[in-house]
Amino acid sequence: MTDATLTRAGASGRSTAQLRKSLKRRHARERRFKLYGVLAIAIAIGFLALLLGRIIEQGHTAFWTHTVQTEVYLDPARIDPAYPEGTNFDQLVAEQQLARLGVQDDEAMSASRDMRQLMSAGVAFEMQRLVRENPEVIGDRITVTLPIGADADLYYKGELDGEGEEQFRRLNDRQILWLDQMRDQGRIQGQFNTGLFTRSDSTQPELAGVLGAVVGSALMLLVTASLALPIGVGAAIYLEEFAPKGRITDIIEVNINNLAAVPSIVYGLLGLAVFINWMHLPRSSPLVGGLVLALMALPTVIIATRSALKAVPPSIREAALAMGASRTQAVFHHVLPLAMPGVMTGSIIAMAHALGETAPLLLIGMVSFVPGVPEAVTSPSSALPVLVFIWENASERAFHERTAAAIMVLLVFMIIMNAAAIYLRRRFERRW
Amino acid sequence: MRFNLFRQLDGAESGGTAATSPLLAPPHAAHQEPTGPIKIQTRDVSVFYGDKQALFDVSVDIPDKAVTAFIGPSGCGKSSFLRCLNRMNDTIPIARVKGSIRMDGEDIYDKALDPVLLRARVGMVFQKPNPFPKSIFENVAYGPRIHGLTENKTELADRVEQSLKRAGLWAEVADRLDAAATGLSGGQQQRLVIARAIAVEPEVILMDEPCSALDPIATAKIEELMDELREEYCLVIVTHSMAQAARVSQRTAFFHMGELVEFDDTETIFQNPRDKRTLDYITGRFG
């Protein structure tokens, strides 16, 4: 009997030691796993910071631009008050700029050409407008603030310099000299680049803005949301709450899940074939873009809504039905309001996805150069991600910073949408 | 004799000192009181879930103005049977019900009868309190609202107040009708759910283990309430607690393996059961 007790005590002593050993191993494993988790998050944050840092570093200069203040003599001999558009204001301004710098234009007018290049292509438009609105200024000597060209702008920002061989440079020695002189005269002013937000795409980088693309994207999202949300949520409610469960609903469910995984460019092809070639809807329009994106967003909306509906406790349905509510009443009075936060989140994610989608838009012609702001969902339009794509491919150096700026605008657009999602979610949740 | 012994056993089982608590004693000697006429008559009711038969040929006569208790071990079919009485089984796609159930002589499984209308006449209270995640007022007002039972706001407010009073909850919530119903305690929630059912003025109230998620004090309150409600309504409760069945019901049905073993006055069931299975169950030999 004593023997047995001893053995048992010994055995238990051993097992405690074993337990301790294994416990040590288990704790080590837990620490290791936590470390992996922290590492994973650190890497993710690192890449995000790198990405954002790079974009901001490249793009922040695009929000700043320079103007030159100059005195212009509006020579009545060269301006027809009835038709100011006929005047070559570029040349007029360039000549007077040269005069202020004390430079004589040569026979071939190469000096004034060089000076014209330093000025924005928008100078002519601004002068024309000025003269058309105030014809009485013709013959006067007026002081105006005019936008400068993209290359000159980059020079002032320190992005271009006088290094390297002159013939391969965007700015020649003479132009750089003039730019320095103008700055020394105190006529160059830096200011916030409002044009970036008030103008649409242009071949001239200093005139290019994102407004057209922002409006185009907004119109497109409007079309997408007004189609994908009601149809998607409706389909999900029917499938989840009303449809008899069986083979057909199973097949539909599998197919919806598959559709959510179809590459977006395939939706672009579908849109091209159906909406443009067959239904003859206008090409490059937010309408077609919105339709394609709605098709693309539908599966996501349906899946998100269904899972939100599934998450509503069945006791709520039972409670409503037992009260004598009809099925529709049970769903719309109780289940859907409870599922609403989930539905909102899923829908906004789908919309944000649609907002950033580029590939299908390329196929339906939204990649074309559209210099204006779309007036309706049927007018030709650009979209923000497509604008990024176009600008990235542009050769002018000044488009690079604008590409990054457009990306930032796109990101801000998305942040606003997500903030709206969070706000709506909170509001719906508070209503329980 | 056996009845008394049993009650103590059950009380000890469900929480020691509670057995001697005066709260658990029957509100008054209810068992001798007469019951009303037959309200619900079922004949050969069978329930199938897919291929599986959950209930076999149940025939009972449920009296009005009385509490009828269904007891039996888990999975015996008592809840399935209860859910036949307001056609809640219709909401389960694979469930099928055979046989006839008549309420006041009217076949409730008649194709012409709208289950929505039936459920307005037969209220139900579930095991877990399931108030809507809205305000207390909205919970009680919901039924009258969807059924269009009140003409205007004052009438609706009156009805909400009356229902809450009848459910014995008014004093506790009168000053916070706009508060979230989910903020109430479990027992209060269950009484709120009863008030919600009462608000549509049903004829029958079904309760599926209404106290199984509640503490003894809350349970006592609900039981008291049942005793009051039976003056006006036909109450049918499913319960796991035999003590509860003994305390509140006038008629008791014992179910086992999907069969109705015995249906009689509660006193008879607990003191002088005819079937050996009933005896075994109420003396705690199984279940």
Side-chain angles (χ1 to χ4, degrees):
Chain A
M1 192 195 145
T2 46
D3 227 345
T5 325
L6 270 178
T7 318
R8 212 178 299 139
S12 94
R14 254 207 315 282
S15 77
T16 311
Q18 266 175 347
L19 203 67
R20 214 167 264 147
K21 220 172 102 192
S22 92
L23 204 63
K24 211 169 150 189
R25 216 169 46 235
R26 280 185 279 170
H27 282 320
R29 190 175 293 167
E30 191 174 318
R31 268 198 304 276
R32 216 155 50 229
F33 184 76
K34 277 188 196 160
L35 188 75
Y36 293 153
V38 170
L39 220 64
I41 289 172
I43 290 172
I45 289 178
F47 273 111
L48 185 68
L50 198 72
L51 180 78
L52 286 180
R54 183 92 184 95
I55 290 170
I56 292 171
E57 187 219 326
Q58 263 198 344
H60 75 279
T61 49
F63 294 103
W64 198 250
T65 189
H66 292 86
T67 55
V68 59
Q69 210 180 39
T70 187
E71 205 170 65
V72 182
Y73 171 58
L74 296 170
D75 190 353
R78 291 173 68 171
I79 304 169
D80 177 2
Y83 184 57
E85 284 80 6
T87 310
N88 189 347
F89 280 106
D90 287 337
Q91 182 65 23
L92 188 81
V93 170
E95 279 168 17
Q96 306 206 14
Q97 289 265 51
L98 286 177
R100 275 199 82 169
L101 295 173
V103 180
Q104 201 68 42
D105 204 358
D106 48 48
E107 284 282 307
M109 300 209 295
S110 71
S112 61
R113 195 191 61 227
D114 278 357
M115 181 50 91
R116 276 206 314 269
Q117 280 173 1
L118 294 181
M119 300 303 293
S120 162
V123 165
F125 303 125
E126 286 201 16
M127 293 303 294
Q128 282 161 14
R129 207 186 58 222
L130 185 93
V131 172
R132 180 162 287 285
E133 282 168 9
N134 319 288
E136 69 278 1
V137 295
I138 296 173
D140 285 354
R141 208 167 263 285
I142 56 167
T143 307
V144 284
T145 305
L146 296 171
I148 60 170
D151 289 329
D153 190 43
L154 285 177
Y155 178 75
Y156 286 131
K157 286 171 183 167
E159 309 262 318
L160 279 184
D161 48 36
E163 278 167 36
E165 271 193 67
E166 190 175 10
Q167 65 189 97
F168 299 120
R169 269 193 260 130
R170 303 279 310 173
L171 296 170
N172 58 33
D173 290 340
R174 186 161 66 168
Q175 287 173 318
I176 289 174
L177 179 74
W178 294 342
L179 287 172
D180 287 340
Q181 284 175 341
M182 286 198 280
R183 181 162 55 191
D184 295 342
Q185 287 170 350
R187 288 156 55 202
I188 301 299
Q189 280 164 338
Q191 60 173 60
F192 183 71
N193 188 1
T194 47
L196 190 63
F197 300 98
T198 56
R199 295 207 194 94
S200 297
D201 199 7
S202 165
T203 48
Q204 303 299 317
E206 71 272 11
L207 291 183
V210 296
L211 181 66
V214 167
V215 173
S217 272
L219 285 175
M220 216 159 61
L221 270 193
L222 209 70
V223 173
T224 306
S226 57
L227 283 171
L229 297 191
I231 296 176
V233 173
I237 290 174
Y238 177 75
L239 282 173
E240 198 55 43
E241 303 285 339
F242 295 98
K245 302 274 177 285
R247 238 187 130 79
I248 298 172
T249 35
D250 282 350
I251 291 172
I252 290 173
E253 180 163 3
V254 168
N255 278 302
I256 288 171
N257 290 339
N258 283 339
L259 282 177
V262 167
S264 55
I265 198 149
V266 176
Y267 286 102
L269 279 171
L270 180 76
L272 179 65
V274 174
F275 299 129
I276 293 176
N277 289 344
W278 183 61
M279 290 168 76
H280 298 293
L281 293 175
R283 242 160 31 103
S284 317
S285 64
L287 177 65
V288 175
L291 284 170
V292 170
L293 293 180
L295 285 181
M296 210 195 71
L298 260 179
T300 319
V301 173
I302 294 176
I303 291 169
T305 306
R306 286 190 74 176
S307 63
L309 289 172
K310 265 195 196 118
V312 174
S315 66
I316 295 294
R317 275 180 205 95
E318 279 196 326
L321 291 176
M323 286 300 298
S326 69
R327 241 194 150 97
T328 323
Q329 285 172 326
V331 170
F332 285 96
H333 293 170
H334 300 289
V335 179
L336 191 59
L338 282 178
M340 217 51 200
V343 174
M344 295 300 300
T345 313
S347 304
I348 301 261
I349 287 172
M351 290 301 116
H353 217 114
L355 174 65
E357 200 54 72
T358 325
L361 303 184
L362 301 185
L363 284 178
I364 55 159
M366 288 196 94
V367 71
S368 49
F369 173 72
V370 182
V373 177
E375 284 140 16
V377 287
T378 47
S379 43
S381 158
S382 186
L384 265 175
V386 178
L387 190 73
V388 170
F389 178 78
I390 296 173
W391 283 359
E392 181 59 42
N393 284 327
S395 55
E396 276 97 341
R397 176 79 193 276
F399 270 120
H400 287 193
E401 58 173 20
R402 280 172 171 75
T403 307
I407 292 172
M408 280 153 82
V409 171
L410 183 62
L411 289 180
V412 167
F413 210 134
M414 282 184 181
I415 289 170
I416 291 172
M417 279 180 69
N418 284 335
I422 291 168
Y423 171 73
L424 285 173
R425 210 191 145 108
R426 288 269 163 79
R427 257 200 64 188
F428 277 109
E429 264 174 357
R430 213 175 298 149
R431 277 184 53 209
W432 6 265
Chain B
M1 176 62 194
R2 186 180 284 136
F3 168 50
N4 285 335
L5 171 77
F6 156 74
R7 216 174 74 208
Q8 278 170 7
L9 276 176
D10 190 75
E13 190 182 88
S14 66
T17 54
T20 51
S21 159
L23 281 169
L24 274 185
H28 51 88
H31 313 290
Q32 278 77 37
E33 284 187 25
T35 59
I38 301 302
K39 182 75 183 170
I40 301 174
Q41 191 176 51
T42 78
R43 289 294 173 264
D44 300 325
V45 173
S46 299
V47 176
F48 302 83
Y49 295 113
D51 297 330
K52 197 178 148 273
Q53 189 167 1
L55 204 65
F56 298 85
D57 305 324
V58 174
S59 304
V60 289
D61 292 335
I62 297 168
D64 201 4
K65 313 229 184 297
V67 179
T68 304
F70 295 167
I71 60 168
S74 292
C76 68
K78 55 190 190 299
S79 285
S80 291
F81 183 57
L82 189 77
R83 293 168 67 95
C84 291
L85 302 181
N86 67 343
R87 290 185 60 175
M88 276 303 276
N89 278 335
D90 290 16
T91 60
I92 304 168
I94 55 164
R96 247 173 340 113
V97 178
K98 260 172 57 183
S100 99
I101 302 175
R102 292 179 172 274
M103 191 166 102
D104 292 333
E106 194 184 347
D107 183 3
I108 65 166
Y109 274 84
D110 190 20
K111 283 210 170 60
L113 188 116
D114 192 340
V116 168
L117 184 69
L118 174 73
R119 289 181 199 136
R121 292 170 63 193
V122 183
M124 188 162 189
V125 174
F126 294 84
Q127 178 173 2
K128 229 182 113 224
N130 56 358
F132 299 127
K134 295 176 189 282
S135 72
I136 293 169
F137 182 89
E138 283 303 316
N139 262 280
V140 184
Y142 184 67
R145 214 170 249 163
I146 58 168
H147 294 298
L149 296 179
T150 50
E151 296 286 315
N152 52 45
K153 277 190 174 164
T154 28
E155 238 179 90
L156 184 66
D158 275 356
R159 190 179 274 243
V160 169
E161 186 180 332
Q162 288 312 316
S163 307
L164 284 168
K165 275 181 178 158
R166 273 200 279 179
L169 195 62
W170 178 252
E172 290 158 66
V173 300
D175 55 342
R176 49 173 175 145
L177 289 177
D178 289 329
T182 40
L184 296 172
S185 75
Q188 288 174 325
Q189 286 189 13
Q190 200 64 301
R191 276 181 285 151
L192 177 68
V193 170
I194 292 172
R196 185 175 72 184
I198 291 172
V200 279
E201 293 185 346
E203 298 156 39
V204 181
I205 300 176
L206 310 176
M207 300 190 183
D208 192 354
E209 297 181 34
C211 302
S212 66
L214 304 182
D215 64 76
I217 294 170
T219 302
K221 279 197 181 146
I222 301 272
E223 287 181 6
E224 226 172 290
L225 178 59
M226 286 183 204
D227 210 60
E228 281 161 27
L229 291 176
R230 97 186 149 81
E231 319 247 307
E232 290 170 77
Y233 302 99
C234 164
L235 262 69
V236 186
I237 68 163
V238 162
T239 177
H240 261 126
S241 156
M242 287 169 279
Q244 184 171 65
R247 281 193 299 265
V248 301
S249 73
Q250 286 73 51
R251 304 273 286 165
T252 297
F254 173 63
F255 288 81
H256 186 236
M257 311 270 286
E259 273 177 71
L260 176 67
V261 176
E262 202 168 339
F263 179 54
D264 213 325
D265 286 340
T266 300
E267 267 194 65
T268 317
I269 291 277
F270 281 103
Q271 296 186 357
N272 194 17
R274 271 177 287 123
D275 199 286
K276 179 157 184 318
R277 285 172 291 177
T278 316
L279 179 68
D280 286 348
Y281 182 69
I282 62 170
T283 51
R285 254 171 240 157
F286 75 91

